[in-house]
Structures are given as structure tokens and as C-alpha cells.
């Protein structure tokens, strides 16, 4: 686990994927400052190359410099979209291994979560800097808690699709589409004996089915100890309907697994995007009444 932060520490905001300007980030900056933290903006903020926040080498260099800077105690992704996977192989993690720090973000940042979890470091699946104006107070507070070393424990209502049980293991995963796209690479998610978290946004329903079917057929799902399903939001369908919503598609793919499975966890592309420590050890308890996620 990276060191916890204290008042006066510095957080860097950078863009590893889509472009964004500094004015859009003001609410996120003010949020960090309200916690007593200092903020610096990376060189990618305000840069643009078509959709992206500069060329691949520029985004990689920005990430590298912030990772190597000992005065920076955490790195917060400004925005998602697509593009982080294009720079991860350009980054040298040797100095980071000696001086780890929190990497914060979700969605497109899934590639960094998986890559760094495999290196043995915990990362923080949480709201982006751009999310500050819309995020719930609970989402913001969960981010603050992790950064300042307070324990996380979530209790959420029961969902009818849940499978009861208890499991303990390392939490991995993130955005399903990104996870699917990095399998077979050095950044691929290691499913064995893990608790898998999944969320997604703006996918066609048959794409969700295709990805879940692949995970089932390639044997990944049979090795997990538990599954947590977060937001599956703003899904698309064809003129001829697929016939199932995203949760029903996932339920069909995992119904034969004899493990605890929790649906509708408040994390993902939703306003109430609670922080999750990826690479951290959790206990997942799914009962008839509620689901508990307890972080060690």
C-alpha cells in the first residue's frame, strides 16, 4: 500500500487519455485543497492532439515525471475516455517501486490498476478529477478516507441477483471493456483466487454478452473467489432488442459459479462512485439482508 497522505502533501492531476483544460478541473482542485492538500497540474492539462491530451510520448512523459517526483504523493487522473493503454508500455516503474504513491482513477485507468497490481502495488479505483462537481458526498468522502489512511467498510442493500456466501481475497478488475482489451498483454488481469470487480458504460448489450462469454469460455471466471458488479450504465441496444439487460447478461454468465456475487455496488460511471482499493485484500460477505465489503 502506498503511504498515506497528510495535510500539506502534493497531489498531481494529469491527463493520461482524453484532453481537458485547467478551468474544468477547478472543482477537483478546490476539493483537494479543502482537505489541506496542495495541487499541481501536469503538462498534459490543456494539451490536445485530436481527442487526446497530447501525443502518446507527451502523456507518458507526464505520467513518468509525476511518478518519479518524490514531492508528489498521489497522482489523480483528470479524465478517462481512451488512451492510457497506449502509454503504459512507455513507462519505467523502477523509481515508483522504490517510492510508491496512490494512482487514482477508474474506467480507462483500469489498465494502470491491473498493471500495477501485478507489480504488487495497491491503486485507488475512484472518481476522476473531472467528476468533482457531480460526485456524491459519499464518493468524495471515500476517496478522502483512503488517501488519509482511514479504513473502508461498505454495507449495501441486497439485490435479487446476489449469490450468498463469504470470500476473502485480493480485489482486481475495473472496467469490463478495458479489462477485456488488455487480456493477453503484460497488463492482463490475474483472476486466480481473486475477487473480481466489474463496471461499464455506454456499451451495446451484445458487447457485454460477448465479453462475459469470453471470460467464461477462457476459464477466467472459474478461478475467482467472488464477484462484485458495479454500475452498468447507459447501455445501448440494436433495433432488434438483445432481450436482456446488462445485469441479466452477467447473471447468465456467472450463474453456475458457487461463489458470493454482489450486484449494484456503488462504483463505476455513476455519481456515487465509491473508492475501491485495487490490489488490496477484502472480505466479501453476501447475505439475504445485505452485502458487506470490508477492506483490511
Amino acid at each position: 500500500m502506498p503511504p498515506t497522505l497528510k495535510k500539506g502533501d502534493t497531489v498531481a492531476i494529469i491527463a493520461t487519455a482524453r484532453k481537458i483544460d485547467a478551468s474544468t478541473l477547478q472543482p477537483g482542485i478546490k476539493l483537494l485543497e479543502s482537505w489541506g492538500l496542495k495541487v499541481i497540474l501536469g503538462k498534459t492539462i490543456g494539451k490536445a492532439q485530436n481527442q487526446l491530451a497530447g501525443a502518446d510520448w507527451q502523456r507518458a512523459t507526464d505520467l513518468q515525471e509525476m511518478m518519479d517526483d518524490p514531492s508528489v504523493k498521489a497522482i489523480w487522473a483528470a479524465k478517462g475516455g481512451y488512451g492510457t493503454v497506449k502509454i503504459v508500455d512507455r513507462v519505467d516503474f523502477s523509481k515508483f517501486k522504490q517510492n510508491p504513491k496512490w494512482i487514482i482513477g477508474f474506467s480507462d485507468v483500469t489498465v494502470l490498476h491491473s498493471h500495477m497490481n501485478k507489480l504488487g502495488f495497491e491503486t485507488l479505483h475512484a472518481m476522476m478529477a473531472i467528476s468533482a462537481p457531480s460526485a456524491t458526498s459519499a464518493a468524495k468522502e471515500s476517496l478522502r478516507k483512503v488517501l488519509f489512511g482511514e479504513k473502508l467498510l461498505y454495507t449495501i442493500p441486497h439485490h435479487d441477483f446476489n449469490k450468498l456466501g463469504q470470500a476473502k481475497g485480493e480485489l482486481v478488475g475495473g472496467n469490463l471493456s478495458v479489462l477485456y482489451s488488455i487480456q493477453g498483454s503484460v497488463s492482463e488481469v490475474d483472476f486466480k483466487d481473486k475477487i473480481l470487480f466489474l463496471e461499464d458504460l455506454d456499451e451495446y448489450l451484445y458487447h457485454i454478452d460477448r465479453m462475459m462469454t469470453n471470460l467464461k469460455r477462457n476459464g477466467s471466471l472459474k478461478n475467482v473467489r467472488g464477484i462484485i458488479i458495479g454500475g452498468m450504465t447507459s447501455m445501448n441496444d440494436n433495433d432488434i432488442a438483445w432481450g436482456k439487460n446488462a445485469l441479466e447478461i452477467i447473471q447468465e454468465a456467472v450463474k453456475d459459479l458457487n461463489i458470493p456475487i454482489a450486484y449494484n455496488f456503488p462504483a463505476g460511471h455513476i455519481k456515487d462512485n465509491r473508492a475501491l482499493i485495487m490490489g488490496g485484500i477484502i472480505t466479501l460477505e453476501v447475505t439475504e439482508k445485505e452485502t458487506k465489503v470490508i477492506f483490511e
Side-chain angles (χ1 to χ4, degrees), residues 73-119:
K73 303 303 181 184
I75 300 172
W76 197 10
K79 187 178 183 180
Y82 170 75
T84 306
V85 70
K86 293 171 67 61
I87 68 172
V88 66
D89 294 327
R90 294 173 177 257
V91 178
D92 181 352
F93 291 89
S94 55
K95 287 188 178 180
F96 179 87
K97 292 176 182 178
Q98 303 303 317
N99 184 32
K101 58 193 72 176
W102 285 112
I103 305 294
I104 310 162
F106 75 110
S107 190
D108 189 59
V109 181
T110 294
V111 62
L112 291 180
H113 292 312
S114 182
H115 195 93
M116 299 174 83
N117 295 162
K118 290 185 72 175
L119 292 175

Side-chain angles (χ1 to χ4, degrees), residues 175-184 210-212 214-215:
N175 182 266
L176 174 59
S177 298
V178 176
L179 179 156
Y180 179 77
S181 74
I182 62 177
Q183 291 310 103
R210 180 171 62 193
M211 291 185 284
M212 291 303 302
N214 176 268
L215 294 182

Side-chain angles (χ1 to χ4, degrees), residues 95-228:
K95 287 188 178 180
F96 179 87
K97 292 176 182 178
Q98 303 303 317
N99 184 32
K101 58 193 72 176
W102 285 112
I103 305 294
I104 310 162
F106 75 110
S107 190
D108 189 59
V109 181
T110 294
V111 62
L112 291 180
H113 292 312
S114 182
H115 195 93
M116 299 174 83
N117 295 162
K118 290 185 72 175
L119 292 175
F121 297 96
E122 298 179 5
T123 55
L124 185 49
H125 184 286
M127 55 183 275
M128 302 284 201
I130 195 176
S131 308
S134 60
T136 65
S137 58
K140 296 173 186 176
E141 177 63 7
S142 67
L143 172 58
R144 188 200 64 78
K145 278 187 173 183
V146 178
L147 292 179
F148 286 92
E150 299 177 28
K151 293 292 185 182
L152 287 182
L153 187 156
Y154 296 116
T155 301
I156 64 170
H158 177 78
H159 188 277
D160 288 343
F161 287 178
N162 284 1
K163 295 195 73 170
L164 309 186
Q166 180 173 320
K168 184 176 181 179
E170 180 184 337
L171 182 63
V172 299
N175 182 266
L176 174 59
S177 298
V178 176
L179 179 156
Y180 179 77
S181 74
I182 62 177
Q183 291 310 103
S185 76
V186 294
S187 304
E188 68 180 354
V189 174
D190 179 6
F191 292 85
K192 187 172 175 56
D193 296 327
K194 305 298 195 301
I195 294 178
L196 177 64
F197 169 75
L198 297 174
E199 64 85 27
D200 219 325
L201 166 80
D202 195 28
E203 282 289 346
Y204 274 88
L205 290 170
Y206 83 91
H207 289 181
I208 299 295
D209 191 278
R210 180 171 62 193
M211 291 185 284
M212 291 303 302
T213 299
N214 176 268
L215 294 182
K216 181 178 180 179
R217 293 188 68 236
N218 71 24
S220 296
L221 296 179
K222 71 179 181 181
N223 294 317
V224 299
R225 293 182 179 177
I227 298 175
I228 301 172

Side-chain angles (χ1 to χ4, degrees), residues 51-62:
Q51 294 183 13
L52 300 172
D56 292 348
W57 71 266
Q58 291 174 313
R59 301 192 323 281
T61 299
D62 203 15

